[in-house]
């Protein structure tokens, strides 16, 4: 079960009395720290426990303190690299928007050390995507997919690189093309704003666009990590958010249900008051209740690809959007390229190769338990035959020994 202390730490303004109450009730600190690490909330947990002077055993306290310090150093490095990359691209005439990671760390939390991040996300205009990618390579970035057909990235509208030890996700749309049933990026460049990061400044999405993007990003990943909900609830509580604009853009982008899901989650899971009243959406409410139950139980949901597709289809608000959700898994991926690489002129052959690869993959997955059971039966049979052979050999040896002993006794009796 998920510790209520973790949920309390994820709230925008945790209740201090509840923090002390939940901390005093913890009987397995190692498990609580592991849960916080799993959800990217270990720095927040450390921060609030320190503020309340909670009595934490030395080993888990050291574990949290060490993770907090390492995260602070990593975030400073990520923020500095973001400033450098943004300056490099802008000097070449390529506009850049930063979002998620460093932006949320520096704008939504009391300290940038409180938000864990695994990469730096930057957004460029679609027309400049390839030029930005080539420029980053020339500046020392290393592609995670060298030699892959660019069209593999194009339908996702993103690719990833490494700049030293800093992973970079380069986007040229706020959402993958075939998941864009609600385009939170329309007009984002005109509405963008400048925010402070790591002693410098970068441009990012407006509060309203960022809130919609975080709604869709969380839904895309089925809200499996509480740090995304912590980001969303903090931004939703900010006074500068114009909710009339958020609601209008959500309706225009067919993302009202996705927005309702995020609102229902902060109400059901984090027990936060809703910052705005929306008409009830029974589908969003049911999905939020199921997600809340699964997150509280610690089991996680959805578990399978099929469940995730059905989850996304339930959020889609039009037949065309639902069709795109089911069409998305049929698109060629980098896994297909790694499995069987075709020349660029034969790119469309991937549309034939991908179903074949998936059939082979899932057939092997279905047959694996049967093959494992068959192997176990063969091993048991072999071991049984071997055991019977050893038993038979032992009987023969025993009989020979008995006959030899009897003959020896006869010889002794008959000797003069």
């Amino acid at each position: 079960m998920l510790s209520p202390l973790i949920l309390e730490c994820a709230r925008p303004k945790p209740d201090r009395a509840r923090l002390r109450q939940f901390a005093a009730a913890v009987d397995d600190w190692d498990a609580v720290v592991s849960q916080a690490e799993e959800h990217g909330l270990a720095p927040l947990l450390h921060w609030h426990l320190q503020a309340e002077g909670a009595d934490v055993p030395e080993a888990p306290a050291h574990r949290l303190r060490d993770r907090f310090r390492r995260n602070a150093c990593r975030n400073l490095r990520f923020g500095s690299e973001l400033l450098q990359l943004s300056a490099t691209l802008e000097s070449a005439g390529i506009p850049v928007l930063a979002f998620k990671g460093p932006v949320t760390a520096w704008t939504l939390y009391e300290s940038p050390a409180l938000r864990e991040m695994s990469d730096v996300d930057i957004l460029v205009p679609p027309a400049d995507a390839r030029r930005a990618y080539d420029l980053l390579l020339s500046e020392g970035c290393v592609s995670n997919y060298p030699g892959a057909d660019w069209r593999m990235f194009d339908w996702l509208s993103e690719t990833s690189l490494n700049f030293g030890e800093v992973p970079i996700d380069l986007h040229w749309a706020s959402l993958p093309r075939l998941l864009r049933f609600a385009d939170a990026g329309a007009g984002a460049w005109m509405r963008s704003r400048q925010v402070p990061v790591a002693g410098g400044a970068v441009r990012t999405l407006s509060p309203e666009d960022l809130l919609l993007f975080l709604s869709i990003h969380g839904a895309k990943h089925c809200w499996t990590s509480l740090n995304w909900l912590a980001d969303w609830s903090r931004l939703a509580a900010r006074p500068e958010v114009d909710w009339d604009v958020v609601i209008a853009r959500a309706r225009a982008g067919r993302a009202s249900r996705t927005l309702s899901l995020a609102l229902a989650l902060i109400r059901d899971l984090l027990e936060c008051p809703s910052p705005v009243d929306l008409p009830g959406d029974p589908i969003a409410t049911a999905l939020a209740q199921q997600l809340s139950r699964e997150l509280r139980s610690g089991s996680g949901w959805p578990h399978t690809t099929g469940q995730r597709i059905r989850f996304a289809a339930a959020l889609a608000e039009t037949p065309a959007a639902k069709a795109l959700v089911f069409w998305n898994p049929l698109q060629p991926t980098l896994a297909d390229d790694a499995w069987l690489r075709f020349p660029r002129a034969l790119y469309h052959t991937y549309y034939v190769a991908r179903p074949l690869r998936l059939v082979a993959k899932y057939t092997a997955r279905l047959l694996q338990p049967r093959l494992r059971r068959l192997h176990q039966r063969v091993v048991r049979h072999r071991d049984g035959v071997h055991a019977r052979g050893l038993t038979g050999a032992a009987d023969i040896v025993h009989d020979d020994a008995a006959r030899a002993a009897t003959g020896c006794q006869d010889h002794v009796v008959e000797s003069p």
Side-chain angles (χ1 to χ4, degrees), residues 197-230:
V197 169
V202 295
R203 298 204 69 80
T204 188
L205 300 169
S206 70
E208 296 77 20
D209 284 336
L210 183 58
L211 193 67
L212 280 174
F213 170 80
L214 294 177
S215 302
I216 298 169
H217 177 265
K220 172 188 170 185
H221 295 286
C222 307
W223 291 106
T224 51
S225 184
L226 284 174
N227 66 334
W228 299 327
L229 204 57

PDB file of all heavy atoms in Angstrom, residues 197-230:
ATOM      1  N   VAL A 197      15.841  30.237 -14.996  1.00  0.00           N
ATOM      2  CA  VAL A 197      16.344  28.873 -14.807  1.00  0.00           C
ATOM      3  C   VAL A 197      17.849  28.937 -14.600  1.00  0.00           C
ATOM      4  O   VAL A 197      18.570  29.495 -15.448  1.00  0.00           O
ATOM      5  CB  VAL A 197      16.023  27.960 -16.018  1.00  0.00           C
ATOM      6  CG1 VAL A 197      16.788  26.643 -15.922  1.00  0.00           C
ATOM      7  CG2 VAL A 197      14.538  27.682 -16.113  1.00  0.00           C
ATOM      8  N   ALA A 198      18.329  28.423 -13.490  1.00  0.00           N
ATOM      9  CA  ALA A 198      19.769  28.254 -13.229  1.00  0.00           C
ATOM     10  C   ALA A 198      20.572  29.533 -13.449  1.00  0.00           C
ATOM     11  O   ALA A 198      21.649  29.510 -14.038  1.00  0.00           O
ATOM     12  CB  ALA A 198      20.323  27.122 -14.093  1.00  0.00           C
ATOM     13  N   GLY A 199      20.037  30.655 -12.993  1.00  0.00           N
ATOM     14  CA  GLY A 199      20.759  31.909 -13.129  1.00  0.00           C
ATOM     15  C   GLY A 199      20.613  32.580 -14.467  1.00  0.00           C
ATOM     16  O   GLY A 199      21.152  33.672 -14.680  1.00  0.00           O
ATOM     17  N   GLY A 200      19.891  31.994 -15.386  1.00  0.00           N
ATOM     18  CA  GLY A 200      19.624  32.584 -16.688  1.00  0.00           C
ATOM     19  C   GLY A 200      18.126  32.641 -16.935  1.00  0.00           C
ATOM     20  O   GLY A 200      17.331  32.681 -15.989  1.00  0.00           O
ATOM     21  N   ALA A 201      17.730  32.647 -18.194  1.00  0.00           N
ATOM     22  CA  ALA A 201      16.315  32.698 -18.543  1.00  0.00           C
ATOM     23  C   ALA A 201      16.085  31.909 -19.823  1.00  0.00           C
ATOM     24  O   ALA A 201      16.926  31.910 -20.724  1.00  0.00           O
ATOM     25  CB  ALA A 201      15.836  34.132 -18.702  1.00  0.00           C
ATOM     26  N   VAL A 202      14.946  31.242 -19.891  1.00  0.00           N
ATOM     27  CA  VAL A 202      14.545  30.509 -21.096  1.00  0.00           C
ATOM     28  C   VAL A 202      13.078  30.797 -21.360  1.00  0.00           C
ATOM     29  O   VAL A 202      12.338  31.212 -20.467  1.00  0.00           O
ATOM     30  CB  VAL A 202      14.747  28.983 -20.925  1.00  0.00           C
ATOM     31  CG1 VAL A 202      16.213  28.636 -20.766  1.00  0.00           C
ATOM     32  CG2 VAL A 202      13.936  28.441 -19.751  1.00  0.00           C
ATOM     33  N   ARG A 203      12.669  30.567 -22.585  1.00  0.00           N
ATOM     34  CA  ARG A 203      11.259  30.718 -22.927  1.00  0.00           C
ATOM     35  C   ARG A 203      10.557  29.382 -22.726  1.00  0.00           C
ATOM     36  O   ARG A 203      11.135  28.317 -22.956  1.00  0.00           O
ATOM     37  CB  ARG A 203      11.088  31.204 -24.363  1.00  0.00           C
ATOM     38  CG  ARG A 203      11.697  32.561 -24.651  1.00  0.00           C
ATOM     39  CD  ARG A 203      11.039  33.233 -25.837  1.00  0.00           C
ATOM     40  NE  ARG A 203       9.659  33.639 -25.547  1.00  0.00           N
ATOM     41  CZ  ARG A 203       9.313  34.748 -24.866  1.00  0.00           C
ATOM     42  NH1 ARG A 203      10.240  35.545 -24.374  1.00  0.00           N
ATOM     43  NH2 ARG A 203       8.042  35.043 -24.685  1.00  0.00           N
ATOM     44  N   THR A 204       9.294  29.472 -22.302  1.00  0.00           N
ATOM     45  CA  THR A 204       8.513  28.264 -22.073  1.00  0.00           C
ATOM     46  C   THR A 204       7.061  28.528 -22.437  1.00  0.00           C
ATOM     47  O   THR A 204       6.680  29.653 -22.806  1.00  0.00           O
ATOM     48  CB  THR A 204       8.628  27.807 -20.609  1.00  0.00           C
ATOM     49  OG1 THR A 204       8.008  26.521 -20.463  1.00  0.00           O
ATOM     50  CG2 THR A 204       7.955  28.786 -19.653  1.00  0.00           C
ATOM     51  N   LEU A 205       6.243  27.500 -22.335  1.00  0.00           N
ATOM     52  CA  LEU A 205       4.819  27.616 -22.629  1.00  0.00           C
ATOM     53  C   LEU A 205       4.140  28.551 -21.631  1.00  0.00           C
ATOM     54  O   LEU A 205       4.584  28.694 -20.488  1.00  0.00           O
ATOM     55  CB  LEU A 205       4.159  26.243 -22.568  1.00  0.00           C
ATOM     56  CG  LEU A 205       4.682  25.171 -23.528  1.00  0.00           C
ATOM     57  CD1 LEU A 205       4.113  23.806 -23.155  1.00  0.00           C
ATOM     58  CD2 LEU A 205       4.337  25.514 -24.964  1.00  0.00           C
ATOM     59  N   SER A 206       3.051  29.172 -22.053  1.00  0.00           N
ATOM     60  CA  SER A 206       2.245  29.966 -21.128  1.00  0.00           C
ATOM     61  C   SER A 206       1.677  29.043 -20.049  1.00  0.00           C
ATOM     62  O   SER A 206       1.594  27.818 -20.243  1.00  0.00           O
ATOM     63  CB  SER A 206       1.103  30.646 -21.883  1.00  0.00           C
ATOM     64  OG  SER A 206       0.144  29.672 -22.300  1.00  0.00           O
ATOM     65  N   PRO A 207       1.281  29.584 -18.889  1.00  0.00           N
ATOM     66  CA  PRO A 207       0.721  28.721 -17.834  1.00  0.00           C
ATOM     67  C   PRO A 207      -0.442  27.866 -18.324  1.00  0.00           C
ATOM     68  O   PRO A 207      -0.564  26.699 -17.947  1.00  0.00           O
ATOM     69  CB  PRO A 207       0.289  29.715 -16.756  1.00  0.00           C
ATOM     70  CG  PRO A 207       1.157  30.908 -16.966  1.00  0.00           C
ATOM     71  CD  PRO A 207       1.379  30.982 -18.447  1.00  0.00           C
ATOM     72  N   GLU A 208      -1.298  28.458 -19.157  1.00  0.00           N
ATOM     73  CA  GLU A 208      -2.471  27.717 -19.636  1.00  0.00           C
ATOM     74  C   GLU A 208      -2.062  26.589 -20.575  1.00  0.00           C
ATOM     75  O   GLU A 208      -2.572  25.457 -20.476  1.00  0.00           O
ATOM     76  CB  GLU A 208      -3.447  28.673 -20.331  1.00  0.00           C
ATOM     77  CG  GLU A 208      -4.056  29.723 -19.431  1.00  0.00           C
ATOM     78  CD  GLU A 208      -3.100  30.885 -19.114  1.00  0.00           C
ATOM     79  OE1 GLU A 208      -2.123  31.061 -19.879  1.00  0.00           O
ATOM     80  OE2 GLU A 208      -3.350  31.612 -18.126  1.00  0.00           O
ATOM     81  N   ASP A 209      -1.126  26.873 -21.495  1.00  0.00           N
ATOM     82  CA  ASP A 209      -0.661  25.833 -22.417  1.00  0.00           C
ATOM     83  C   ASP A 209       0.100  24.746 -21.667  1.00  0.00           C
ATOM     84  O   ASP A 209      -0.031  23.555 -21.971  1.00  0.00           O
ATOM     85  CB  ASP A 209       0.240  26.435 -23.498  1.00  0.00           C
ATOM     86  CG  ASP A 209      -0.555  27.173 -24.562  1.00  0.00           C
ATOM     87  OD1 ASP A 209      -1.744  26.859 -24.733  1.00  0.00           O
ATOM     88  OD2 ASP A 209       0.008  28.064 -25.214  1.00  0.00           O
ATOM     89  N   LEU A 210       0.923  25.164 -20.694  1.00  0.00           N
ATOM     90  CA  LEU A 210       1.687  24.177 -19.931  1.00  0.00           C
ATOM     91  C   LEU A 210       0.757  23.282 -19.124  1.00  0.00           C
ATOM     92  O   LEU A 210       0.984  22.069 -19.033  1.00  0.00           O
ATOM     93  CB  LEU A 210       2.677  24.890 -19.006  1.00  0.00           C
ATOM     94  CG  LEU A 210       3.604  23.981 -18.188  1.00  0.00           C
ATOM     95  CD1 LEU A 210       4.422  23.065 -19.101  1.00  0.00           C
ATOM     96  CD2 LEU A 210       4.519  24.807 -17.293  1.00  0.00           C
ATOM     97  N   LEU A 211      -0.312  23.859 -18.574  1.00  0.00           N
ATOM     98  CA  LEU A 211      -1.263  23.051 -17.801  1.00  0.00           C
ATOM     99  C   LEU A 211      -1.938  22.018 -18.699  1.00  0.00           C
ATOM    100  O   LEU A 211      -2.079  20.842 -18.312  1.00  0.00           O
ATOM    101  CB  LEU A 211      -2.299  23.956 -17.149  1.00  0.00           C
ATOM    102  CG  LEU A 211      -3.178  23.318 -16.077  1.00  0.00           C
ATOM    103  CD1 LEU A 211      -2.347  22.937 -14.858  1.00  0.00           C
ATOM    104  CD2 LEU A 211      -4.303  24.252 -15.668  1.00  0.00           C
ATOM    105  N   LEU A 212      -2.331  22.421 -19.908  1.00  0.00           N
ATOM    106  CA  LEU A 212      -2.944  21.471 -20.832  1.00  0.00           C
ATOM    107  C   LEU A 212      -1.936  20.420 -21.281  1.00  0.00           C
ATOM    108  O   LEU A 212      -2.262  19.231 -21.375  1.00  0.00           O
ATOM    109  CB  LEU A 212      -3.509  22.199 -22.054  1.00  0.00           C
ATOM    110  CG  LEU A 212      -4.873  22.865 -21.861  1.00  0.00           C
ATOM    111  CD1 LEU A 212      -5.240  23.674 -23.091  1.00  0.00           C
ATOM    112  CD2 LEU A 212      -5.948  21.833 -21.565  1.00  0.00           C
ATOM    113  N   PHE A 213      -0.708  20.872 -21.551  1.00  0.00           N
ATOM    114  CA  PHE A 213       0.308  19.899 -21.948  1.00  0.00           C
ATOM    115  C   PHE A 213       0.544  18.879 -20.840  1.00  0.00           C
ATOM    116  O   PHE A 213       0.617  17.668 -21.102  1.00  0.00           O
ATOM    117  CB  PHE A 213       1.621  20.593 -22.289  1.00  0.00           C
ATOM    118  CG  PHE A 213       2.749  19.611 -22.460  1.00  0.00           C
ATOM    119  CD1 PHE A 213       2.893  18.907 -23.644  1.00  0.00           C
ATOM    120  CD2 PHE A 213       3.622  19.326 -21.416  1.00  0.00           C
ATOM    121  CE1 PHE A 213       3.892  17.959 -23.799  1.00  0.00           C
ATOM    122  CE2 PHE A 213       4.628  18.387 -21.556  1.00  0.00           C
ATOM    123  CZ  PHE A 213       4.775  17.708 -22.753  1.00  0.00           C
ATOM    124  N   LEU A 214       0.676  19.325 -19.594  1.00  0.00           N
ATOM    125  CA  LEU A 214       0.907  18.397 -18.487  1.00  0.00           C
ATOM    126  C   LEU A 214      -0.291  17.467 -18.291  1.00  0.00           C
ATOM    127  O   LEU A 214      -0.123  16.309 -17.891  1.00  0.00           O
ATOM    128  CB  LEU A 214       1.200  19.173 -17.196  1.00  0.00           C
ATOM    129  CG  LEU A 214       2.511  19.973 -17.178  1.00  0.00           C
ATOM    130  CD1 LEU A 214       2.631  20.748 -15.868  1.00  0.00           C
ATOM    131  CD2 LEU A 214       3.710  19.068 -17.387  1.00  0.00           C
ATOM    132  N   SER A 215      -1.496  17.957 -18.562  1.00  0.00           N
ATOM    133  CA  SER A 215      -2.686  17.094 -18.489  1.00  0.00           C
ATOM    134  C   SER A 215      -2.582  15.953 -19.486  1.00  0.00           C
ATOM    135  O   SER A 215      -2.841  14.784 -19.159  1.00  0.00           O
ATOM    136  CB  SER A 215      -3.959  17.901 -18.775  1.00  0.00           C
ATOM    137  OG  SER A 215      -4.120  18.970 -17.890  1.00  0.00           O
ATOM    138  N   ILE A 216      -2.200  16.296 -20.720  1.00  0.00           N
ATOM    139  CA  ILE A 216      -2.138  15.300 -21.788  1.00  0.00           C
ATOM    140  C   ILE A 216      -0.931  14.391 -21.606  1.00  0.00           C
ATOM    141  O   ILE A 216      -1.003  13.181 -21.843  1.00  0.00           O
ATOM    142  CB  ILE A 216      -2.124  16.003 -23.156  1.00  0.00           C
ATOM    143  CG1 ILE A 216      -3.422  16.785 -23.333  1.00  0.00           C
ATOM    144  CG2 ILE A 216      -1.971  15.000 -24.289  1.00  0.00           C
ATOM    145  CD1 ILE A 216      -3.428  17.736 -24.508  1.00  0.00           C
ATOM    146  N   HIS A 217       0.190  14.965 -21.165  1.00  0.00           N
ATOM    147  CA  HIS A 217       1.387  14.145 -20.923  1.00  0.00           C
ATOM    148  C   HIS A 217       1.121  13.123 -19.819  1.00  0.00           C
ATOM    149  O   HIS A 217       1.464  11.941 -19.955  1.00  0.00           O
ATOM    150  CB  HIS A 217       2.554  15.056 -20.533  1.00  0.00           C
ATOM    151  CG  HIS A 217       3.803  14.304 -20.192  1.00  0.00           C
ATOM    152  ND1 HIS A 217       4.131  13.975 -18.883  1.00  0.00           N
ATOM    153  CD2 HIS A 217       4.802  13.798 -20.955  1.00  0.00           C
ATOM    154  CE1 HIS A 217       5.272  13.309 -18.881  1.00  0.00           C
ATOM    155  NE2 HIS A 217       5.701  13.184 -20.115  1.00  0.00           N
ATOM    156  N   GLY A 218       0.488  13.542 -18.722  1.00  0.00           N
ATOM    157  CA  GLY A 218       0.165  12.605 -17.651  1.00  0.00           C
ATOM    158  C   GLY A 218      -0.784  11.517 -18.116  1.00  0.00           C
ATOM    159  O   GLY A 218      -0.603  10.339 -17.807  1.00  0.00           O
ATOM    160  N   ALA A 219      -1.807  11.919 -18.888  1.00  0.00           N
ATOM    161  CA  ALA A 219      -2.763  10.930 -19.398  1.00  0.00           C
ATOM    162  C   ALA A 219      -2.099   9.971 -20.370  1.00  0.00           C
ATOM    163  O   ALA A 219      -2.404   8.771 -20.390  1.00  0.00           O
ATOM    164  CB  ALA A 219      -3.935  11.637 -20.069  1.00  0.00           C
ATOM    165  N   LYS A 220      -1.173  10.488 -21.192  1.00  0.00           N
ATOM    166  CA  LYS A 220      -0.460   9.632 -22.134  1.00  0.00           C
ATOM    167  C   LYS A 220       0.267   8.508 -21.403  1.00  0.00           C
ATOM    168  O   LYS A 220       0.331   7.366 -21.873  1.00  0.00           O
ATOM    169  CB  LYS A 220       0.532  10.478 -22.932  1.00  0.00           C
ATOM    170  CG  LYS A 220       1.474   9.684 -23.829  1.00  0.00           C
ATOM    171  CD  LYS A 220       2.538  10.597 -24.421  1.00  0.00           C
ATOM    172  CE  LYS A 220       3.618   9.794 -25.124  1.00  0.00           C
ATOM    173  NZ  LYS A 220       4.730  10.651 -25.596  1.00  0.00           N
ATOM    174  N   HIS A 221       0.821   8.828 -20.223  1.00  0.00           N
ATOM    175  CA  HIS A 221       1.537   7.835 -19.421  1.00  0.00           C
ATOM    176  C   HIS A 221       0.672   7.251 -18.305  1.00  0.00           C
ATOM    177  O   HIS A 221       1.196   6.638 -17.373  1.00  0.00           O
ATOM    178  CB  HIS A 221       2.799   8.462 -18.830  1.00  0.00           C
ATOM    179  CG  HIS A 221       3.807   8.866 -19.866  1.00  0.00           C
ATOM    180  ND1 HIS A 221       4.584   7.952 -20.547  1.00  0.00           N
ATOM    181  CD2 HIS A 221       4.152  10.090 -20.360  1.00  0.00           C
ATOM    182  CE1 HIS A 221       5.369   8.591 -21.398  1.00  0.00           C
ATOM    183  NE2 HIS A 221       5.128   9.888 -21.308  1.00  0.00           N
ATOM    184  N   CYS A 222      -0.649   7.462 -18.414  1.00  0.00           N
ATOM    185  CA  CYS A 222      -1.626   6.888 -17.474  1.00  0.00           C
ATOM    186  C   CYS A 222      -1.370   7.327 -16.033  1.00  0.00           C
ATOM    187  O   CYS A 222      -1.733   6.607 -15.098  1.00  0.00           O
ATOM    188  CB  CYS A 222      -1.630   5.358 -17.578  1.00  0.00           C
ATOM    189  SG  CYS A 222      -1.866   4.745 -19.246  1.00  0.00           S
ATOM    190  N   TRP A 223      -0.749   8.478 -15.839  1.00  0.00           N
ATOM    191  CA  TRP A 223      -0.518   9.056 -14.515  1.00  0.00           C
ATOM    192  C   TRP A 223       0.108   8.045 -13.559  1.00  0.00           C
ATOM    193  O   TRP A 223      -0.267   7.952 -12.383  1.00  0.00           O
ATOM    194  CB  TRP A 223      -1.808   9.600 -13.922  1.00  0.00           C
ATOM    195  CG  TRP A 223      -2.339  10.814 -14.616  1.00  0.00           C
ATOM    196  CD1 TRP A 223      -3.419  10.876 -15.451  1.00  0.00           C
ATOM    197  CD2 TRP A 223      -1.823  12.156 -14.532  1.00  0.00           C
ATOM    198  NE1 TRP A 223      -3.606  12.156 -15.908  1.00  0.00           N
ATOM    199  CE2 TRP A 223      -2.641  12.979 -15.353  1.00  0.00           C
ATOM    200  CE3 TRP A 223      -0.758  12.749 -13.840  1.00  0.00           C
ATOM    201  CZ2 TRP A 223      -2.428  14.342 -15.507  1.00  0.00           C
ATOM    202  CZ3 TRP A 223      -0.544  14.117 -14.005  1.00  0.00           C
ATOM    203  CH2 TRP A 223      -1.371  14.898 -14.816  1.00  0.00           C
ATOM    204  N   THR A 224       1.079   7.270 -14.062  1.00  0.00           N
ATOM    205  CA  THR A 224       1.671   6.219 -13.224  1.00  0.00           C
ATOM    206  C   THR A 224       2.657   6.752 -12.198  1.00  0.00           C
ATOM    207  O   THR A 224       3.046   6.016 -11.293  1.00  0.00           O
ATOM    208  CB  THR A 224       2.388   5.192 -14.115  1.00  0.00           C
ATOM    209  OG1 THR A 224       3.280   5.876 -15.017  1.00  0.00           O
ATOM    210  CG2 THR A 224       1.385   4.388 -14.928  1.00  0.00           C
ATOM    211  N   SER A 225       3.082   8.024 -12.335  1.00  0.00           N
ATOM    212  CA  SER A 225       4.045   8.585 -11.390  1.00  0.00           C
ATOM    213  C   SER A 225       3.445   9.810 -10.712  1.00  0.00           C
ATOM    214  O   SER A 225       2.911  10.709 -11.378  1.00  0.00           O
ATOM    215  CB  SER A 225       5.344   8.962 -12.110  1.00  0.00           C
ATOM    216  OG  SER A 225       6.312   9.417 -11.201  1.00  0.00           O
ATOM    217  N   LEU A 226       3.552   9.867  -9.393  1.00  0.00           N
ATOM    218  CA  LEU A 226       2.936  10.959  -8.641  1.00  0.00           C
ATOM    219  C   LEU A 226       3.644  12.292  -8.851  1.00  0.00           C
ATOM    220  O   LEU A 226       3.052  13.343  -8.594  1.00  0.00           O
ATOM    221  CB  LEU A 226       2.930  10.615  -7.145  1.00  0.00           C
ATOM    222  CG  LEU A 226       1.886   9.604  -6.687  1.00  0.00           C
ATOM    223  CD1 LEU A 226       2.101   9.259  -5.222  1.00  0.00           C
ATOM    224  CD2 LEU A 226       0.480  10.144  -6.899  1.00  0.00           C
ATOM    225  N   ASN A 227       4.905  12.297  -9.282  1.00  0.00           N
ATOM    226  CA  ASN A 227       5.575  13.590  -9.463  1.00  0.00           C
ATOM    227  C   ASN A 227       4.923  14.405 -10.579  1.00  0.00           C
ATOM    228  O   ASN A 227       4.931  15.633 -10.542  1.00  0.00           O
ATOM    229  CB  ASN A 227       7.078  13.410  -9.698  1.00  0.00           C
ATOM    230  CG  ASN A 227       7.398  12.720 -11.003  1.00  0.00           C
ATOM    231  OD1 ASN A 227       6.580  11.958 -11.537  1.00  0.00           O
ATOM    232  ND2 ASN A 227       8.584  12.958 -11.521  1.00  0.00           N
ATOM    233  N   TRP A 228       4.321  13.737 -11.575  1.00  0.00           N
ATOM    234  CA  TRP A 228       3.590  14.474 -12.610  1.00  0.00           C
ATOM    235  C   TRP A 228       2.356  15.137 -12.013  1.00  0.00           C
ATOM    236  O   TRP A 228       2.024  16.267 -12.361  1.00  0.00           O
ATOM    237  CB  TRP A 228       3.180  13.535 -13.748  1.00  0.00           C
ATOM    238  CG  TRP A 228       4.328  12.889 -14.441  1.00  0.00           C
ATOM    239  CD1 TRP A 228       5.575  13.424 -14.647  1.00  0.00           C
ATOM    240  CD2 TRP A 228       4.364  11.585 -15.016  1.00  0.00           C
ATOM    241  NE1 TRP A 228       6.374  12.536 -15.318  1.00  0.00           N
ATOM    242  CE2 TRP A 228       5.662  11.389 -15.556  1.00  0.00           C
ATOM    243  CE3 TRP A 228       3.442  10.549 -15.131  1.00  0.00           C
ATOM    244  CZ2 TRP A 228       6.045  10.220 -16.199  1.00  0.00           C
ATOM    245  CZ3 TRP A 228       3.812   9.378 -15.776  1.00  0.00           C
ATOM    246  CH2 TRP A 228       5.098   9.224 -16.306  1.00  0.00           C
ATOM    247  N   LEU A 229       1.681  14.433 -11.118  1.00  0.00           N
ATOM    248  CA  LEU A 229       0.505  15.008 -10.475  1.00  0.00           C
ATOM    249  C   LEU A 229       0.903  16.132  -9.527  1.00  0.00           C
ATOM    250  O   LEU A 229       0.162  17.116  -9.378  1.00  0.00           O
ATOM    251  CB  LEU A 229      -0.261  13.909  -9.720  1.00  0.00           C
ATOM    252  CG  LEU A 229      -1.752  14.154  -9.475  1.00  0.00           C
ATOM    253  CD1 LEU A 229      -2.480  14.377 -10.791  1.00  0.00           C
ATOM    254  CD2 LEU A 229      -2.364  12.989  -8.715  1.00  0.00           C
ATOM    255  N   ALA A 230       2.073  16.005  -8.893  1.00  0.00           N
ATOM    256  CA  ALA A 230       2.579  17.093  -8.046  1.00  0.00           C
ATOM    257  C   ALA A 230       2.828  18.341  -8.882  1.00  0.00           C
ATOM    258  O   ALA A 230       2.477  19.460  -8.480  1.00  0.00           O
ATOM    259  CB  ALA A 230       3.857  16.646  -7.337  1.00  0.00           C
TER     260      ALA A 230
END
